[in-house]
């Protein structure tokens, strides 16, 4: 996941702890352990104890910088008036709650209906660190685009694949539901499989460590590893990574990710989809990207730099971001999407 991150909700907002502020600095700058702590901030469900948080000057300064997308909803939709909205959604921590066991990150039926409704009316893509098949197994909707493995593996909805240009590869339908339309790093598949097996072997003695094969990247989860053993996780991963110069390490929340060294990320995936759908560089399009992880920052940055779209960070702790606005958790994401679709329907009927 890495990107499909997960931090268990804890009780207090630790504004002075290692999770705040997160600086978007080069990884490994101060050693992996430091990065592992910085990338895994202590989360806090602000809804549970919002009174204290609201009066915290650090939080108040942060929310001023990244206003709640619900509070500034009218301002956001004003930007989308008369435009085509394209929706990009991260999965873990955005559409599904963060859980200890990645395989249990189930999306609620209510959220699924909200996303389905959005996908029927707007071009919608889910962009995740997970393998695309895993994301589909969770979401189970055929109406949208899926970009798995941080956007390195993109599938389109049934009947729409022909509208998306295929730059590098095109394969037959998968499960009869979607069509693979883009794979950025096909040549890495055997290497990733090999590294996955090596990491499973080398970390099997570390209690709580879990290695996940996400097709174009390998995720080493340490959420359930005692913090005193985090250096062991880092050492095992580093020992193997050293043998593969064409692979690199990325930090997510409670996860180390081994990925191909290629110029590709969630931001590139957003650009690819916008371009392929004929929606890039257009004043009549408003892309909205909602995500909670460090890897979502690449997408926020793309939208911020092109001044074409809106990034919304899902976070219950103050942290630096390229996003413009914030939402606390997946339930607020659902509220935002519901309001967006109601507004869209009203806008369509008023024209
Ligand atoms: Mg996420």
């Amino acid at each position: 996941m890495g990107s499909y991150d997960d931090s268990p909700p804890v009780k207090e907002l630790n504004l002075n702890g290692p999770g705040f502020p997160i600086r978007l600095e080069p990884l490994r700058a101060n050693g992996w352990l430091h990065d592992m702590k910085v990338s895994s901030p202590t989360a806090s469900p602000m809804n549970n104890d919002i009174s204290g948080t609201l009066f915290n000057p650090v939080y108040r300064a942060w929310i001023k910088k990244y206003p709640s997308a619900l509070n500034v909803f009218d301002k956001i939709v004003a930007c989308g008036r008369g435009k085509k909205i394209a929706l990009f959604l991260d999965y873990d921590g955005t559409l599904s709650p963060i859980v200890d066991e990645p395989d249990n990150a189930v999306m609620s039926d209510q959220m699924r209906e909200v996303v389905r409704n959005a996908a029927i009316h707007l071009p919608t893509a889910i962009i995740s660190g997970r393998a695309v098949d895993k994301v589909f197994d969770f979401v189970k909707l055929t109406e949208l685009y899926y970009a798995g493995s941080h956007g390195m593996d993109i599938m389109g909805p049934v009947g729409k694949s022909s509208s998306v240009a295929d730059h590098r590869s095109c394969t037959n339908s998968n499960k009869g539901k979607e069509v693979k339309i883009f794979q950025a790093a096909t040549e890495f598949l055997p290497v990733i499989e090999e590294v996955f097996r090596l990491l499973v072997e080398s970390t099997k003695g570390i209690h709580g460590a879990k290695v996940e094969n996400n097709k174009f990247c390998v995720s080493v989860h340490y959420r359930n590893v005692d913090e005193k053993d985090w250096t062991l996780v880092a050492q095992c991963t580093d020992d193997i990574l050293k043998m593969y110069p064409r692979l690199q390490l990325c930090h997510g929340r409670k996860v180390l990710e081994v990925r191909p060294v290629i110029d590709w990320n969630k931001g590139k995936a957003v650009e690819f989809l916008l371009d392929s759908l004929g929606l890039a560089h257009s004043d009549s399009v408003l892309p909205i990207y909602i995500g909670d992880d460090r890897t979502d920052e690449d997408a926020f940055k793309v939208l911020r730099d092109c001044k074409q779209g809106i990034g919304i960070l899902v976070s219950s702790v103050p942290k630096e971001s390229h996003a413009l606005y914030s939402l606390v958790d997946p339930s607020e994401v659902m509220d935002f999407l519901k309001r967006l679709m109601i507004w869209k329907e009203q806008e369509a009927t008023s024209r």
Side-chain angles (χ1 to χ4, degrees):
M1 93 190 171
S3 347
Y4 75 85
D5 32 4
D6 11 306
S7 264
V10 244
K11 302 298 178 238
E12 292 180 7
L13 182 64
N14 181 6
L15 297 169
N16 299 314
F20 180 79
I22 280 187
R23 279 178 296 152
L24 302 175
E25 58 189 13
L27 297 176
R28 302 184 76 166
N30 298 308
W32 283 20
L33 194 60
H34 171 264
D35 283 328
M36 288 164 85
K37 289 179 179 174
V38 166
S39 302
S40 307
T42 298
S44 171
M46 292 192 296
N47 287 340
N48 288 358
D49 184 21
I50 198 158
S51 54
T53 302
L54 287 176
F55 292 103
N56 184 304
V58 178
Y59 173 73
R60 288 174 65 179
W62 181 78
I63 201 69
K64 208 169 178 180
K65 191 172 176 188
Y66 305 97
S68 165
L70 291 172
N71 290 346
V72 296
F73 183 79
D74 291 343
K75 186 177 170 184
I76 291 175
V77 293
C79 297
R81 192 159 294 132
K83 295 182 181 177
K84 186 165 195 170
I85 292 175
L87 209 47
F88 298 94
L89 307 166
D90 170 49
Y91 180 72
D92 291 81
T94 298
L95 298 181
S96 70
I98 295 302
V99 292
D100 284 344
E101 173 52 55
D103 292 341
N104 296 339
V106 177
M107 181 186 198
S108 71
D109 290 340
Q110 203 183 356
M111 180 70 97
R112 184 171 294 103
E113 281 313 303
V114 170
V115 174
R116 186 203 304 274
N117 187 39
I120 288 170
H121 296 97
L122 308 173
T124 301
I126 292 183
I127 303 189
S128 170
R130 294 193 191 247
V132 79
D133 289 348
K134 285 187 190 173
V135 184
F136 179 80
D137 285 344
F138 279 122
V139 179
K140 297 184 175 71
L141 294 174
T142 56
E143 293 87 351
L144 56 163
Y145 294 88
Y146 292 87
S149 309
H150 303 289
M152 284 186 271
D153 193 5
I154 299 178
M155 296 200 313
V158 174
K160 287 192 180 173
S161 60
S162 59
S163 65
V164 178
D166 176 13
H167 291 225
R168 300 192 198 183
S169 74
C170 185
T171 62
N172 293 326
S173 64
N174 177 51
K175 298 179 181 177
K177 299 187 179 81
E178 304 82 33
V179 177
K180 293 187 179 184
I181 53 178
F182 178 80
Q183 291 186 333
T186 312
E187 70 269 31
F188 285 93
L189 287 173
V191 176
I192 292 292
E193 176 66 31
E194 188 176 296
V195 168
F196 167 68
R197 279 189 272 108
L198 287 171
L199 279 168
V200 168
E201 184 62 28
S202 73
T203 60
K204 69 180 180 188
I206 305 172
H207 184 69
K210 181 184 171 73
V211 183
E212 187 179 17
N213 186 343
N214 280 316
K215 196 170 176 180
F216 289 96
C217 59
V218 180
S219 304
V220 185
H221 300 269
Y222 55 92
R223 150 166 315 290
N224 296 323
V225 174
D226 192 301
E227 193 167 334
K228 71 177 169 43
D229 291 333
W230 284 13
T231 42
L232 277 177
V233 176
Q235 192 60 55
C236 287
T237 309
D238 192 32
D239 287 348
I240 290 166
L241 197 61
K242 274 189 247 176
M243 299 188 288
Y244 296 89
R246 294 179 71 212
L247 299 180
Q248 63 182 329
L249 181 92
C250 299
H251 290 264
R253 279 160 61 187
K254 302 283 174 63
V255 68
L256 296 175
E257 289 205 325
V258 178
R259 290 203 238 165
V261 180
I262 60 168
D263 184 21
W264 197 262
N265 53 45
K266 288 184 171 184
K268 297 274 184 183
V270 168
E271 286 179 326
F272 171 84
L273 281 164
L274 284 173
D275 191 40
S276 302
L277 294 166
L279 303 176
H281 311 299
S282 169
D283 289 340
S284 61
V285 177
L286 180 72
I288 296 178
Y289 188 107
I290 309 177
D292 73 319
D293 199 26
R294 193 165 179 164
T295 56
D296 294 312
E297 292 296 334
D298 293 316
F300 294 148
K301 189 166 186 308
V302 161
L303 296 187
R304 184 179 271 250
D305 287 352
C306 73
K307 297 184 174 63
Q308 192 196 348
I310 290 173
I312 300 174
L313 173 70
V314 182
S315 180
S316 60
V317 292
K319 57 183 178 183
E320 290 298 311
S321 174
H322 294 296
L324 293 176
Y325 304 112
S326 67
L327 290 167
V328 170
D329 56 21
S331 72
E332 284 204 358
V333 173
M334 188 160 71
D335 289 346
F336 176 81
L337 293 177
K338 279 183 187 169
R339 284 181 67 179
L340 186 66
M341 296 320 299
I342 290 169
W343 171 82
K344 193 70 200 163
E345 280 173 31
Q346 287 171 344
E347 201 215 17
T349 52
S350 66
R351 275 199 225 169

